[in-house]
Structures are given as structure tokens and as C-alpha cells.
Amino acid sequence: MNEPHPEIAVIGAGSIGCFVGGHLGMQTRVRLVGRERVRAVIAEHGMRLTDLDGGRVERLPQDLDYVTDITVARTAELVLITVKSDDTPAVAQALAPVLRESAVVLSLQNGLQNVPVLREALPKCTVLAGMVPFNVLHRGHGRLHRASAGTLMAERHAALAPFAATFAACGLPLELRDDMREVQWAKLLLNLNNGVNALSDLPLREELALRDYRRCLALLQDEALRALKAAGIRPARLTPLPARWLPTLLRAPDAVFGLLAQRLLAIDPLARSSTWEDLAAGRRTEIEHINGEVVRLASRQGMPAPANARLLALVHEAEQGDRRIWRRSELWDELRTAAESR
Ligand SMILES: NC(=O)C1=CN([C@@H]2O[C@H](COP(=O)(O)OP(=O)(O)OC[C@H]3O[C@@H](n4cnc5c(N)ncnc54)[C@H](OP(=O)(O)O)[C@@H]3O)[C@@H](O)[C@H]2O)C=CC1
Ligand SMILES: CC(C)(CO)C(=O)C(=O)O
């Protein structure tokens, strides 16, 4: 067993990194590594971590260790990776000369390529996949709000055992899984809503309450589910209904969906997808790691995924400055036309 208070480093402390690291820091030493602009906010305001179940944790600036220098990770026993997926290669390269061989590296990112990229750059460390099911809303001034529910998941591995108690003690228990690839695909199926949400320019709850947007998501999921089936991948069950039934639920009329999908709709009224947040901040999104992953999987199976390809193109246009708002019927017509023209 490791000592009872393992040192943890969080690399890329933004919304997820500050929320998870801010909680873990109540139990053990946590070094948050990120950008100067975030460091300055935390140094001024500390952190207020809240959640939709009424939880509230206040962290004072002097109790937080936020730095911009990644080499502080050299003493960490557990390293959480919370950068956006496009930043993983750079972070992996920067960590390679820094980390101890015994370090456990846990990716808390969306997408499927982060763990392979980290494993290649850090062959001596134990690199494991994790999954964050909930949304974290960044409200400014160090305020981070868990805006939906769910339990953190991580790949079952003996090397994680010494850290499990720390996660549990701060109210973020890890559900250990033997099927992380299937979990990641199931999460990706849900993340297919990220681009729809970003283009709608609506909070998640309002967007998901509108059938035409849900039809868009159902179409994107249909293509992904077909490709997954052809590839022999069975997505894990993360929702009350199995993933393969979600498109049918999504296509239900608004009133029926509202009744049947209460758990899915248990989201803070202000929450939006991380893709929306990226576009709003003028950043590149992770869309290549979401819909792009579906397009590539389908293509490997010799299948088309035209609605995903179209959505991908629309989000790329938005990244390049074309921030038009896609009303529900417009987006539905656009994706349906793309799907029918193949
Ligand atoms: N936000 C959410 O609700 C959810 C997010 N996720 C996933 O979690 C991951 C993290 O997302 P999120 O927390 O929203 O992302 P954020 O953009 O809020 O945080 C990532 C931070 O890492 C910083 N960063 C990038 N490169 C480096 C580097 N080399 N060194 C130090 N810091 C760096 C970024 O700075 P800069 O912006 O300057 O690049 C940013 O501040 C993503 O994969 C996302 O899909 C999963 C579930 C929910
Ligand atoms: C939690 C969820 C699904 C919220 O949209 C997400 O993963 C994201 O925003 O990237």
C-alpha cells in the first residue's frame, strides 16, 4: 500500500481538473497545473465547488496549489489528465521526462485516442482510462458547478487501489470497470449531442426538450451504432435504457420524451456542452474526437456516416468564425438531407 495521503497532480486544470482536483485537495496534496489566466483567478477567488444536489465546497486561495510549471508532477503518484484531447500529445511529451516510473496516469477525458497517445509517450507509467459522466459548468471567479449527475469511472487496475479511498472520501468515488473501451464508446454516443448543442446555442436542457434537435442526435447515434455493430463493439450501458434504444427514445414526441427521460433531463438549466464552451471561447473543439471518431470507425467498416460528417463540417465552420445559430428545423433538414443524399 502507498502512504495514506498520495500526492496527486492534475494536468490541464480547467473545468474538470479544477472540479475534481479541488475536491481531492480536501483529502490529500493536489498540485493543479494549468494556465496563468486560471491560476490568477484561483489566486484571487479560490474555488467554490457546487453541485445540483446541493453540495458546496469552498477552497481558499492559500489552500490551493495552482502552478503553470508541469515539472511539479515529478513527485506525483497519481497524475490526472484533464486537457482537451488535441492537447494530449503535447502534455504527454512534456510529462515523459518528468514523471516517476511508478506514477499512475488517469485520463479523465472524452474521446478514445487519449489513452493510446499517453501510453506511447509514457511507456513505463501505468496509464489508465477514466470517464467523467457529469457536466461541469464554469461560472467564472473560481465557481465550478457540477450540473448533472453520475459517478466517475476508471479502468480496474491494482495500481489504482491506493487512491480509491481518497476519491471516495471527497465524494467522488471511482466506479472501477473492466470494460472501459465500451464505456468510452457509450460516452461518445452521448457526446454526439455536443455539436448539436453547440450549434443550437441553447442550454442542454432546452435543446434536448426540442424534438428536431433530438432527431439530429438520434440520426448521429444511428450511424454510430451501425458502425459499432459492424465492428463488433457493444457500448456499455450508462443510461437507464441500453444505448441501442436511445435513438427511439430521442425521436419520441416532446411530451412523451419529457415523461420518459426525466433522468436524462436532470441537468442544471444553464448547463451547455463542452463543445459549446469551446466555441464560445473561440477555441478549437474536440469534435474530431467525437463525430470524427464515428466517421473514421464507419469508414473502416466500409460504411458511410454522412450525418456525422456533415455535423463535423458545420462545427469546423463555426470554429473558423461562422457562428450562425442553427434553429431546430434547419439543423434537422441539414443532417437529414446529408443522410438521404448518400
Ligand atoms: N466540461 C465538462 O463538463 C466535461 C468535460 N469532459 C472532458 O474533460 C476534458 C477536459 O475538459 P474541460 O475541463 O472542459 O476543459 P477546459 O478547457 O476547461 O480545461 C483544460 C485546461 O487545460 C489547459 N491546457 C491545455 N494544454 C495545457 C498544457 N500543455 N499545460 C497546462 N494546461 C494546459 C487549457 O488551457 P487553454 O484553454 O489555454 O488551452 C484549459 O485551461 C475534455 O476531454 C472534455 O471533453 C468530460 C465530461 C464533462
Ligand atoms: C457531460 C457532457 C455529456 C455534457 O454535455 C460532456 O461530456 C461534455 O459536455 O463534453
Side-chain angles (χ1 to χ4, degrees):
M1 273 285 268
N2 274 21
E3 64 216 43
H5 299 296
E7 184 174 321
I8 298 177
V10 179
I11 310 300
S15 300
I16 295 297
C18 285
F19 187 84
V20 174
H23 278 95
L24 289 168
M26 305 288 288
Q27 302 296 325
T28 195
R29 178 161 199 204
V30 175
R31 319 208 62 178
L32 302 162
V33 180
R35 301 301 197 197
E36 172 53 30
R37 67 174 191 281
V38 184
R39 194 206 61 75
V41 171
I42 303 288
E44 185 178 353
H45 300 281
M47 280 185 201
R48 185 187 298 166
L49 310 171
T50 55
D51 63 54
L52 81 170
D53 304 318
R56 187 185 172 105
V57 169
E58 299 276 354
R59 303 292 320 273
L60 298 173
Q62 61 267 31
D63 296 334
L64 292 162
D65 189 356
Y66 197 113
V67 296
T68 56
D69 177 8
I70 205 165
T71 64
V72 299
R74 74 164 61 83
T75 48
E77 291 148 77
L78 177 65
V79 180
L80 304 179
I81 308 295
T82 59
V83 291
K84 291 273 166 54
S85 303
D86 277 346
D87 295 319
T88 304
V91 153
Q93 291 307 321
L95 287 173
V98 166
L99 294 189
R100 308 168 164 193
E101 289 187 8
S102 60
V104 179
V105 178
L106 179 63
S107 159
L108 291 181
Q109 302 161 283
N110 283 332
L112 290 140
Q113 301 309 326
N114 296 298
V115 169
V117 166
L118 290 162
R119 281 192 179 141
E120 193 177 345
L122 306 168
K124 294 188 175 145
C125 297
T126 305
V127 177
L128 302 171
M131 194 279 281
V132 179
F134 48 75
N135 176 281
V136 172
L137 190 57
H138 182 210
R139 290 188 161 150
H141 302 297
R143 290 175 302 164
L144 293 152
H145 180 68
R146 174 169 67 70
S148 61
T151 305
L152 289 179
M153 292 182 185
E155 197 170 334
R156 190 189 309 280
H157 193 287
L160 260 189
F163 311 104
T166 307
F167 278 85
C170 73
L172 292 174
L174 288 178
E175 181 179 333
L176 300 177
R177 307 274 305 206
D178 297 313
D179 59 346
M180 275 312 287
R181 191 161 175 77
E182 290 78 5
V183 164
Q184 288 178 316
W185 271 111
K187 178 72 197 294
L188 189 144
L189 286 169
L190 300 176
N191 285 129
L192 292 177
N193 186 51
N194 279 28
V196 177
N197 177 256
L199 296 176
S200 77
D201 203 32
L202 291 173
L204 282 161
R205 216 162 82 176
E206 280 177 49
E207 176 247 307
L208 285 168
L210 298 170
R211 190 184 192 192
D212 277 350
Y213 288 132
R214 293 198 308 276
R215 283 172 158 161
C216 292
L217 174 57
L219 188 56
L220 299 168
Q221 289 191 346
D222 277 342
E223 289 181 359
L225 285 163
R226 272 197 297 273
L228 285 166
K229 191 168 181 199
I233 303 167
R234 248 183 112 113
R237 182 164 171 177
L238 300 181
T239 43
L241 277 184
R244 67 182 184 284
W245 291 354
L246 285 181
T248 306
L249 173 66
L250 290 166
R251 288 190 173 98
D254 290 337
V256 179
F257 181 77
L259 275 178
L260 295 179
Q262 287 178 16
R263 250 177 77 182
L264 269 181
L265 290 173
I267 317 172
D268 185 282
L270 295 178
R272 299 173 186 253
S273 69
S274 55
T275 305
W276 181 90
E277 289 202 339
D278 283 336
L279 286 184
R283 293 187 297 247
R284 207 171 45 202
T285 71
E286 289 184 300
I287 208 72
E288 280 294 339
H289 300 270
I290 305 175
N291 304 78
E293 204 65 65
V294 174
V295 172
R296 290 188 292 277
L297 177 73
S299 146
R300 288 198 294 276
Q301 303 308 315
M303 304 169 93
N308 279 279
R310 187 70 195 124
L311 196 281
L312 190 62
L314 295 180
V315 173
H316 282 320
E317 282 169 22
E319 285 170 337
Q320 268 133 45
D322 178 8
R323 285 295 315 278
R324 68 165 278 195
I325 295 169
W326 285 83
R327 306 209 180 282
R328 53 189 150 158
S329 58
E330 293 169 341
L331 191 59
W332 170 234
D333 284 345
E334 187 76 14
L335 297 192
R336 185 181 48 178
T337 307
E340 286 170 359
S341 65
R342 290 297 292 254

